[in-house]
């Protein structure tokens, strides 16, 4: 049975997509605690600005935004070939496994640390390894809740917008449904995570939430547009891997227009 599954190209493709989707989401959550300067990354001078009355704003982003755009690209690819049910399924799997990972992080932080290990990196400027470990893996509960909720809701929004656009455009304008759905879902994602983590969790003002939301979203918007060629490249590779007929039938099935696969003719 395993051999049959591995020999089925659509199944192999779905397993690869699901594995990357879950791993990418988990890594993004784990590295999200680090903040970096986008201007410094690009070698540009840092300029602060004011938005909604909030001064001193700059493009300081979490390291997680380096990976989240790829998550939405993968969502659109899975949506194109496997349909909204598949996207929802892998989204639920990702949320479940991320939740499990954070529970295991909490367990690892809670077990008593060995005395020699706590001071084992003092010569490297880390006087207490337990505090360092907890600082890296111990994100606040509001941030975790906000991140997971935003991820799940934005995935559902992405699926919905993608299919509404595709019903109007058919097979044309891949860029419109892929980029359009990502742009809308990223806005939802940016707002929800900040609202839950910092409005509810830390009582930020609405002005600060909206200002930082738009700063983060402006970056995601540009990246979503910039990654559009990647979607065309991946779809081209998939078409070559599956074959035109199989890819066409999968896209039709993803839209609820099930077509029977044609069996190849063999000579007995």
């Amino acid at each position: 049975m395993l051999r049959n599954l591995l020999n089925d190209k659509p199944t192999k493709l779905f397993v690869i997509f699901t594995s990357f989707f879950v791993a990418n989401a988990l890594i993004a959550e784990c590295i999200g605690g680090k903040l970096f300067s986008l201007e410094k990354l690009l070698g540009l001078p840092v300029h602060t600005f004011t938005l909604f009355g909030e001064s001193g704003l700059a493009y300081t982003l979490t390291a997680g935004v380096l990976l989240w755009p790829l998550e939405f690209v993968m969502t659109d690819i899975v949506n194109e070939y496997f349909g909204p049910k598949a996207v929802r399924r892998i989204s639920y799997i990702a949320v479940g496994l991320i939740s499990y990972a954070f529970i295991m992080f909490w367990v690892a932080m809670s077990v008593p640390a060995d005395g020699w290990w706590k001071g084992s990196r003092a010569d490297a400027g880390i006087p207490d390894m337990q505090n360092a470990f907890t600082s890296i893996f111990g994100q606040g509960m509001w941030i975790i809740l906000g991140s997971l909720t935003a991820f799940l809701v934005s995935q559902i929004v992405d699926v919905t917008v993608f299919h509404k656009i595709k019903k109007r455009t058919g097979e044309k304008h891949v860029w419109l449904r892929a980029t359009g759905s990502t742009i809308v879902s990223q806005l939802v994602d940016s707002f929800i995570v900040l609202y839950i983590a910092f409005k509810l969790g830390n009582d930020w003002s609405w002005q600060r939430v909206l200002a930082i939301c738009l700063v983060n979203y402006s970056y995601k918007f540009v990246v979503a547009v910039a990654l559009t060629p990647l979607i065309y490249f991946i779809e081209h590779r998939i078409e070559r891997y599956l074959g035109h007929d199989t890819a066409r039938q999968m896209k039709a099935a993803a839209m609820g227009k099930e077509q029977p696969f044609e069996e190849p003719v063999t000579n007995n």
Side-chain angles (χ1 to χ4, degrees), residues 7 64 105 138-139 141 162 168 170 172 210 241 257:
N7 286 335
F105 293 161
Q139 298 185 58
M141 292 304 298
F162 183 96
R168 290 181 176 271
K172 299 178 180 179
L210 293 175
Y241 174 70
K257 302 173 182 177

Side-chain angles (χ1 to χ4, degrees), residues 66-125:
L66 298 173
L67 297 183
W68 281 122
L70 294 176
E71 202 74 352
F72 287 91
V73 168
M74 192 56 57
T75 297
D76 293 334
I77 296 296
V78 173
N79 213 350
E80 183 81 18
Y81 290 94
F82 297 96
K85 289 184 179 179
V87 174
R88 286 193 287 268
R89 179 65 58 85
I90 64 175
S91 298
Y92 297 150
I93 292 173
V95 169
L97 292 179
I98 291 170
S99 301
Y100 169 75
F102 277 116
I103 292 172
M104 292 301 101
F105 293 161
W106 178 80
V107 171
M109 289 185 294
S110 300
V111 296
D114 200 304
W116 72 267
W117 175 74
K118 292 178 67 175
S120 62
R121 298 299 303 278
D123 57 342

Side-chain angles (χ1 to χ4, degrees), residues 55-257:
S55 59
L57 296 174
Y59 276 92
T60 301
L61 306 170
T62 72
V65 302
L66 298 173
L67 297 183
W68 281 122
L70 294 176
E71 202 74 352
F72 287 91
V73 168
M74 192 56 57
T75 297
D76 293 334
I77 296 296
V78 173
N79 213 350
E80 183 81 18
Y81 290 94
F82 297 96
K85 289 184 179 179
V87 174
R88 286 193 287 268
R89 179 65 58 85
I90 64 175
S91 298
Y92 297 150
I93 292 173
V95 169
L97 292 179
I98 291 170
S99 301
Y100 169 75
F102 277 116
I103 292 172
M104 292 301 101
F105 293 161
W106 178 80
V107 171
M109 289 185 294
S110 300
V111 296
D114 200 304
W116 72 267
W117 175 74
K118 292 178 67 175
S120 62
R121 298 299 303 278
D123 57 342
I126 307 174
D128 191 326
M129 284 292 290
Q130 175 63 23
N131 286 340
F133 186 88
T134 302
S135 297
I136 295 298
F137 290 102
Q139 298 185 58
M141 292 304 298
W142 282 107
I143 296 177
I144 295 172
L145 178 62
S147 180
L148 291 179
T149 303
F151 170 69
L152 191 56
V153 173
S154 63
Q155 288 296 104
I156 295 173
V157 170
D158 190 285
V159 170
T160 303
V161 174
F162 183 96
H163 273 266
K164 283 186 178 297
I165 295 175
K166 190 171 183 179
K167 285 180 179 180
R168 290 181 176 271
T169 61
E171 294 300 319
K172 299 178 180 179
H173 306 307
V174 174
W175 65 270
L176 180 60
R177 59 178 174 271
T179 306
S181 61
T182 298
I183 287 173
V184 174
S185 58
Q186 290 275 27
L187 178 60
V188 173
D189 179 87
S190 299
F191 176 77
I192 290 178
V193 67
L194 288 170
Y195 174 74
I196 294 177
F198 299 109
K199 176 61 178 174
L200 296 182
N202 290 278
D203 198 28
W204 279 13
S205 66
W206 278 110
Q207 290 86 347
R208 178 172 295 182
V209 170
L210 293 175
I212 295 180
C213 174
L214 289 182
V215 171
N216 281 269
Y217 177 67
S218 63
Y219 164 82
K220 295 177 181 179
F221 180 95
V222 172
V223 172
V225 174
L227 287 179
T228 301
L230 177 62
I231 296 175
Y232 279 91
F233 173 76
I234 294 175
E235 288 207 11
H236 174 69
R237 299 298 299 178
I238 291 173
E239 296 273 344
R240 290 188 59 184
Y241 174 70
L242 294 174
H244 177 73
D245 289 340
T246 301
R248 175 178 54 81
Q249 290 168 338
M250 288 177 64
K251 287 183 177 181
M255 289 297 295
K257 302 173 182 177

Side-chain angles (χ1 to χ4, degrees), residues 11-33:
T11 301
K12 288 171 65 175
L13 204 60
F14 186 72
V15 170
I16 292 171
F17 286 162
T18 301
S19 300
F20 178 84
F21 186 91
V22 173
N24 195 68
L26 180 56
I27 295 170
E29 290 285 358
C30 291
I31 68 176

